[in-house]
Amino acid sequence: FPDDPVIQETLGSVGKLEPLTTWDKVKNVYRAVDDKRRMLMVTQIATAARNAASQGARYGADILDSGIQGVFKTVGGVPKKEAFAQFMGDWTAILNRMSPKQRANLEGVLSKYPETKAEMLSAPIHDITLGGKLSNALMYLNRTQEYFYRKMIFDSRITAWGKTIGKDPYKTNIPQHILEKASKDSMEMTFSANQEKGFGKGVMDAYKAIPMLTTIHPYPRFWTNAVKFLWDFNPTGYLSAASRARFFSKDPNAVYQAASRATLGTLMLGAGLEMRNSEYAGEKWYEINVGKDRYIDARPFAPFSTYLFLGEAISHPEKLSGKDWAEGMLSISRIAGTGLTLIDLIRTDSIDSTKKLLKNFAGQYLSGFTVPLQTVKDFIGEDKVLNTQESPLLGPAASKIPFVGEAMLNEQPSLTRGEILRREDPRLRQLTGLTIKTKTPVEKEIDKVGLQRIYPQTGDATLDRLITEQTGWKVGQFGNEFIKSARYKNADAETKKYMLKEIISLAKQDSKQKILIPYIEGRLSERKTADKRFEYLADLVDHGRIGRANLEALFTRNPSLFGQAKQEELKKKAYLK
């Protein structure tokens, strides 16, 4: 269009755009890769089941919220038909979703307002904008359940509006402000809304500027919406309601909403407190005891699981660790392993530890790409927990691949049972999203007193596994008997913690003493030259993995391993160490 001045001016402006910086190019490459990883991380059937349960609970909270608001409005003089319009709209929308005719009617309404439909259905699902046949196929279940709730929420809003004015919303024009509210609520209640101000906007802006933050929490949109939910539904909302009643009396609906959500937040916090002090409370804040020493892990059902955490924080704050606070308040259990590894990386001051943690971080990151295959593993019954520490780079990804993981990796033994670890009811987990764990008596006590980092940490992953294998039956047999003794039962919590720690420590030491020298002999035999063998032993001494007594025992068993001078050099180094 050489003769069109407007188009030429526009093209000229585009031509003057600044070129991409190196940082912009890095961000674009990272996003292109990481978006695939984040999408693959939420493709399990279990994930769709958990999200459906959480969003169903969110819709249930909305029903109660609209009902309580209806009561407040009635007390405030609003006619009942108007006061309870949203409450009735919520229930009607549920019935409409069950009717093919009503679903078709809603589709007809959405087709009349294509911009609203596009806004509502193109919003990211779990922070992921879908595109391409493969992405749509892998995200089919998650997309289906999310669109189900978005459409039902949209329907509830326009139905409530119709009940207020006495018209059928499917057969009349809907005002723009009602469409906007219906669309906005549908995204907010499915934790997909784009926060326009405050904390949520700040977090999303930070992620846009530094996309690598997805290694800490890959789903910031969900997180910010979950935080907003907790902010709205908590007892302090009564202060907001009082403030609004005093300063914003021209908007009574805002007062009713704040008071209603504060009431619901109080009830949910009360339920969390009651649960954490009842027979259904597990040893850890997120565990629900379902009988016969079986426990359900509630962490995947955030933000509702946060009320269990708050109940524990109020009742037993001394039991909570830093990791508990991260999981409880930040929904950080959704981060896979990368975020927690980065936290450890920040705290370490050792070059060797830094290298190891970087390898762990890379391995956890790569494992996100094989998450969909975990569904296949669960359905074919591969329930063994595999040791990924011996292959930290490729192990986490391989452990999710059917047949490959079991062929490539060793099984992970239990420290408390004398058997390998297994994931319980993997098929049930996929179909319902429920992770179930059965505990032995000593395992319950370990969790109750808050013992952490009980597995061996020699710096050699293979040695750690072998020590664990030997230790498990000792802790299981002796520990389960010891906790029945009067000496243990009559002790206070700190003494019980010390006793259990000593039992496990002594069992590990005994196992290490039996395993260490034969293990080192095996590793030495793999090294062909004396220099390589000396270098290996010197490295063990430098890192405190073998002491003078064990060195002497090794040389007694293998007197010709080195010359006398070399042996003395190593023993002296071990003594000084």
Side-chain angles (χ1 to χ4, degrees):
F1 304 94
D3 299 324
D4 190 318
V6 175
I7 291 179
Q8 290 303 313
E9 182 179 353
T10 303
L11 291 174
S13 298
V14 172
K16 294 175 184 176
L17 290 175
E18 292 294 326
L20 291 176
T21 64
T22 301
W23 176 238
D24 290 331
K25 293 176 182 178
V26 170
K27 289 194 294 183
N28 289 342
V29 171
Y30 177 82
R31 289 193 184 102
V33 174
D34 198 57
D35 283 351
K36 302 294 188 298
R37 178 186 73 101
R38 295 192 300 143
M39 181 269 291
L40 292 168
M41 286 171 63
V42 291
T43 52
Q44 291 189 75
I45 296 174
T47 304
R50 290 165 176 169
N51 290 333
S54 294
Q55 291 175 9
R58 178 65 183 90
Y59 192 81
D62 185 66
I63 293 175
L64 294 174
D65 182 23
S66 58
I68 295 171
Q69 286 190 52
V71 173
F72 288 155
K73 290 176 181 179
T74 301
V75 173
V78 178
K80 289 183 178 180
K81 179 180 178 180
E82 180 181 343
F84 287 95
Q86 185 57 67
F87 179 72
M88 297 306 298
D90 286 342
W91 285 108
T92 301
I94 295 175
L95 298 176
N96 288 347
R97 282 283 89 193
M98 303 299 111
S99 167
K101 179 181 177 181
Q102 296 296 69
R103 291 200 301 270
N105 287 337
L106 179 62
E107 292 299 330
V109 171
L110 290 173
S111 65
K112 286 172 56 179
Y113 306 100
E115 290 184 6
T116 300
K117 180 179 180 179
E119 179 185 7
M120 184 174 70
L121 300 184
S122 64
I125 295 176
H126 310 303
D127 291 81
I128 302 157
T129 302
L130 298 179
K133 292 182 179 180
L134 180 60
S135 296
N136 284 322
L138 290 172
M139 289 286 288
Y140 174 77
L141 290 176
N142 251 323
R143 186 179 74 251
T144 299
Q145 64 86 19
E146 183 123 345
Y147 286 172
F148 174 88
Y149 281 108
R150 287 188 190 180
K151 289 179 179 180
M152 185 163 66
I153 296 160
F154 182 90
D155 193 10
S156 75
R157 270 39 184 179
I158 64 171
T159 298
W161 167 76
K163 290 181 181 298
T164 301
I165 64 171
K167 292 184 179 181
D168 185 344
Y170 296 158
K171 298 178 181 179
T172 186
N173 291 328
I174 303 174
Q176 185 61 31
H177 72 280
I178 297 297
L179 291 172
E180 290 176 357
K181 174 177 171 51
S183 176
K184 180 181 178 182
D185 286 358
S186 72
M187 289 183 286
E188 183 175 298
M189 288 175 58
T190 54
F191 306 104
S192 301
N194 189 26
Q195 304 294 322
E196 298 175 354
K197 58 182 179 180
F199 168 80
K201 185 177 185 304
V203 169
M204 295 307 295
D205 286 346
Y207 271 78
K208 288 177 183 176
I210 312 174
M212 294 76 180
L213 289 173
T214 54
T215 57
I216 299 175
H217 199 312
Y219 308 111
R221 192 181 301 272
F222 162 83
W223 180 40
T224 56
N225 279 275
V227 169
K228 185 179 186 303
F229 173 84
L230 295 168
W231 179 261
D232 291 340
F233 289 82
N234 77 87
T236 63
Y238 287 122
L239 299 176
S240 175
S243 175
R244 289 175 182 273
R246 182 177 179 184
F247 297 107
F248 305 101
S249 56
K250 292 182 180 180
D251 185 13
N253 286 332
V255 179
Y256 300 143
Q257 183 184 77
S260 170
R261 294 184 172 184
T263 301
L264 270 176
T266 302
L267 291 173
M268 287 190 282
L269 178 58
L273 271 167
E274 179 64 25
M275 178 68 76
R276 292 307 305 156
N277 291 280
S278 73
E279 59 184 306
Y280 301 106
E283 285 71 40
K284 296 183 178 181
W285 69 264
Y286 52 82
E287 292 177 335
I288 300 174
N289 188 342
V290 293
K292 298 182 179 180
D293 297 325
R294 286 164 67 84
Y295 299 81
I296 291 175
D297 187 341
R299 285 175 296 180
F301 301 96
F304 296 95
S305 59
T306 304
Y307 292 101
L308 288 175
F309 172 79
L310 293 173
E312 185 78 347
I314 293 171
S315 302
H316 311 289
E318 72 283 355
K319 293 183 178 181
L320 297 173
S321 65
K323 181 181 177 183
D324 290 328
W325 281 93
E327 289 179 335
M329 295 306 295
L330 305 180
S331 300
I332 214 162
S333 63
R334 291 176 172 250
I335 66 174
T338 52
L340 293 176
T341 302
L342 279 178
I343 292 171
D344 289 337
L345 189 59
I346 293 171
R347 294 186 302 184
T348 187
D349 56 359
S350 163
I351 294 177
D352 288 337
S353 294
T354 299
K355 291 178 180 178
K356 181 179 177 180
L357 287 170
L358 283 173
K359 188 177 288 188
N360 287 339
F361 170 80
Q364 292 292 344
Y365 188 89
L366 290 173
S367 72
F369 292 96
T370 59
V371 166
L373 297 172
Q374 184 66 54
T375 299
V376 180
K377 280 196 67 172
D378 286 349
F379 276 115
I380 65 175
E382 284 195 8
D383 60 354
K384 296 175 183 176
V385 176
L386 302 175
N387 184 303
T388 61
Q389 291 303 307
E390 293 176 83
S391 179
L393 185 59
L394 299 178
S399 69
K400 297 177 176 62
I401 303 176
F403 308 112
V404 172
E406 293 195 358
M408 175 179 169
L409 304 171
N410 291 303
E411 299 161 348
Q412 175 60 44
S414 167
L415 188 72
T416 54
R417 299 194 184 194
E419 60 187 38
I420 64 169
L421 290 172
R422 293 181 182 272
R423 294 177 294 107
E424 297 184 40
D425 300 314
R427 296 183 185 91
L428 178 68
R429 172 185 168 275
Q430 284 295 338
L431 294 173
T432 65
L434 298 175
T435 299
I436 297 176
K437 179 181 180 180
T438 303
K439 297 184 187 180
T440 64
V442 73
E443 287 170 347
K444 289 195 288 186
E445 288 299 313
I446 287 171
D447 286 345
K448 187 181 294 183
V449 301
L451 271 184
Q452 297 180 356
R453 298 181 180 272
I454 59 175
Y455 276 78
Q457 294 180 324
T458 65
D460 184 321
T462 301
L463 181 59
D464 288 343
R465 174 176 57 81
L466 295 173
I467 293 172
T468 299
E469 187 176 344
Q470 292 293 315
T471 303
W473 71 268
K474 298 174 186 176
V475 175
Q477 187 176 44
F478 182 69
N480 283 320
E481 288 299 318
F482 181 73
I483 62 175
K484 298 176 185 176
S485 68
R487 180 185 175 191
Y488 181 83
K489 289 181 178 179
N490 295 331
D492 58 41
E494 282 302 312
T495 305
K496 286 181 177 179
K497 185 174 183 178
Y498 173 78
M499 288 177 174
L500 288 172
K501 187 175 181 180
E502 281 297 294
I503 288 172
I504 295 171
S505 178
L506 289 171
K508 287 192 295 187
Q509 288 176 26
D510 184 58
S511 297
K512 183 179 178 181
Q513 285 298 108
K514 292 178 179 178
I515 292 171
L516 183 62
I517 293 177
Y519 176 75
I520 290 175
E521 288 173 340
R523 298 302 297 270
L524 287 170
S525 67
E526 297 171 0
R527 288 157 172 80
K528 303 303 181 183
T529 66
D531 287 343
K532 290 290 184 183
R533 291 191 285 271
F534 183 85
E535 183 181 324
Y536 171 69
L537 276 181
D539 185 67
L540 292 182
V541 172
D542 287 339
H543 288 87
R545 295 171 187 168
I546 186 171
R548 183 182 176 89
N550 282 321
L551 272 177
E552 290 179 343
L554 175 67
F555 294 144
T556 300
R557 285 168 56 111
N558 303 272
S560 61
L561 187 60
F562 301 113
Q564 189 67 30
K566 289 284 189 182
Q567 291 185 16
E568 290 301 322
E569 181 182 345
L570 286 171
K571 286 191 282 188
K572 181 179 179 180
K573 181 181 284 192
Y575 176 78
L576 294 174
K577 184 67 177 180

